[in-house]
Amino acid sequence: MKTSIYTVLNNANQSDAIVTALCRTLPSDINADEGIWLPLVPIGAFSGRDGRSWNNSDPEAVINNTVLPFVLDIDHASELTPNTEASGWVTQLKIQDDHIFGWLEFNTLGKKAIDEKRYKFYSPAFNVTKDSVLLDLTSMGLTNRPNLYVPALNKAQDNQTTPITPTQKDNSMLKALLAALGLSEDADQTVALNAIQALKDTKPEPKTPDLNSFVPHATHNQVVTELNTANAKLAALETAKHNEAVETALNSAISDKKIAPADREFYANYCATEQGLADFNKFVSTKAPVIGDSNLPDTPLKNDDKTELNSEQQGILAQMGVTLD
């Protein structure tokens, strides 16, 4: 692609980190219906009409640092005003010959501006350090004003230029970031980025564990196993102790004629828990004997066992017509 290019840089006071605009003529054969590769900034040192110089010393780093896509606007509105309406987008960057080129895709607004020949120049904006080293590209504008003011630092006001100072919040955050990185407040963006990259590349050295705070994995597993075994044994002992207490309570209740032997299983299930046993003991402590003095054994009689009935029992049997052999 052959195109007539001249460079005009805007008049602005430099500071620690500035954004400036480099204006170029649009090619006469531009087709707004398709994208187009356009040269954005030269590689190496370059100067403008006003005598200021910049250095695109590491174009690959500039490409890597640039966030894509970035906007094509009108007269750098996105840099100077809250208006971020796009006329197109730069979606790709590459190094070609002695420039960084950008692939520019127009939208309907941008196509109309080009088709109607409303703009002759385009102007990429970029970040540089106080040492005039390019960091990244930020936007691109269609313009008919070859001598634009520095977008990030100046704005038109009563035909004068007034520096745009960072807000107190931004300034405080920047100072805090530099302090966290161990840098001075006047450190530029390149130094800060290098410090961040160094932190990312640094691998922490392995530290010897504090024996008072850590135990070996095998020891931990052994202790857990032994603890589980001890808990199981303790639970078994508690169960045996509880079952023994239940047996004692049931035997005592049967012996005292508080419950019938046939109901033993029912009450045993009731006493399965500590609370159940406690409730059972309270129940039998207040219960009167329900079976009476029958002189009947607690277990079934064998065939050769004989039991003498008292006079009251014999009278009941006689009334029932039962005779004893």
Side-chain angles (χ1 to χ4, degrees):
M1 179 185 69
K2 298 183 65 176
T3 179
S4 175
I5 298 174
Y6 68 91
T7 301
V8 178
L9 298 178
N10 299 295
N11 296 321
N13 294 325
Q14 295 202 29
S15 65
D16 288 352
I18 65 172
V19 179
T20 189
L22 175 66
C23 296
R24 301 178 180 276
T25 55
L26 287 167
S28 59
D29 58 348
I30 188 171
N31 185 351
D33 291 331
E34 300 177 359
I36 184 173
W37 284 105
L38 294 176
L40 302 182
V41 287
I43 295 174
F46 59 97
S47 302
R49 287 183 177 180
D50 58 3
R52 288 188 302 157
S53 298
W54 289 269
N55 191 359
N56 185 8
S57 58
D58 192 347
E60 292 184 356
V62 172
I63 292 177
N64 291 334
N65 292 337
T66 299
V67 178
L68 293 174
F70 59 78
V71 66
L72 170 71
D73 56 26
I74 302 297
D75 282 328
H76 287 291
S78 63
E79 301 282 358
L80 294 165
T81 72
N83 179 13
T84 59
E85 184 176 25
S87 295
W89 296 92
V90 175
T91 60
Q92 301 178 59
L93 296 174
K94 69 176 182 179
I95 297 175
Q96 179 177 319
D97 299 329
D98 57 350
H99 281 75
I100 292 179
F101 276 68
W103 177 257
L104 176 60
E105 298 176 358
F106 294 94
N107 60 19
T108 302
L109 181 63
K111 291 177 182 179
K112 183 177 180 181
I114 297 301
D115 292 342
E116 296 177 355
K117 301 185 183 300
R118 293 164 54 194
Y119 291 92
K120 183 179 180 181
F121 301 98
Y122 67 94
S123 171
F126 48 85
N127 287 321
V128 299
T129 69
K130 65 179 181 181
D131 299 321
S132 300
V133 176
L134 267 70
L135 293 175
D136 58 6
L137 299 169
T138 61
S139 69
M140 183 173 173
L142 294 174
T143 182
N144 287 322
R145 300 171 58 198
N147 288 305
L148 295 176
Y149 292 111
V150 177
L153 294 182
N154 297 277
K155 63 180 180 180
Q157 185 177 26
D158 299 330
N159 296 324
Q160 301 294 326
T161 58
T162 305
I164 298 177
T165 59
T167 64
Q168 186 65 34
K169 178 180 179 181
D170 292 339
N171 194 34
S172 299
M173 182 173 64
L174 178 60
K175 289 182 178 180
L177 176 61
L178 293 175
L181 293 171
L183 302 175
S184 61
E185 293 184 0
D186 59 351
D188 60 37
Q189 186 172 349
T190 300
V191 175
L193 291 174
N194 290 339
I196 293 173
Q197 187 62 48
L199 289 175
K200 293 172 63 178
D201 295 340
T202 301
K203 296 182 178 179
E205 296 182 358
K207 296 182 179 180
T208 302
D210 183 1
L211 296 181
N212 294 320
S213 302
F214 301 93
V215 295
H217 187 67
T219 301
H220 172 267
N221 289 342
Q222 181 179 352
V223 170
V224 171
T225 300
E226 293 177 353
L227 180 60
N228 291 337
T229 301
N231 287 336
K233 290 181 178 179
L234 179 61
L237 290 174
E238 292 292 336
T239 300
K241 181 180 179 182
H242 177 77
N243 291 340
E244 183 180 354
V246 170
E247 287 294 314
T248 300
L250 294 176
N251 291 337
S252 178
I254 293 174
S255 176
D256 294 340
K257 312 301 180 181
K258 301 294 184 70
I259 64 173
D263 295 332
R264 182 186 188 90
E265 183 177 355
F266 169 79
Y267 287 109
N269 291 334
Y270 187 85
C271 296
T273 63
E274 292 290 339
Q275 185 60 47
L277 177 59
D279 292 342
F280 176 78
N281 286 331
K282 182 178 180 180
F283 166 73
V284 297
S285 68
T286 60
K287 184 174 179 61
V290 296
I291 299 178
D293 185 14
S294 63
N295 290 330
L296 294 176
D298 295 334
T299 57
L301 297 177
K302 296 181 181 180
N303 292 335
D304 57 349
D305 288 340
K306 294 183 179 180
T307 301
E308 295 293 336
L309 300 180
N310 58 32
S311 58
E312 181 180 355
Q313 293 168 343
Q314 292 176 5
I316 293 174
L317 291 177
Q319 291 177 8
M320 296 174 63
V322 178
T323 58
L324 298 177
D325 295 333

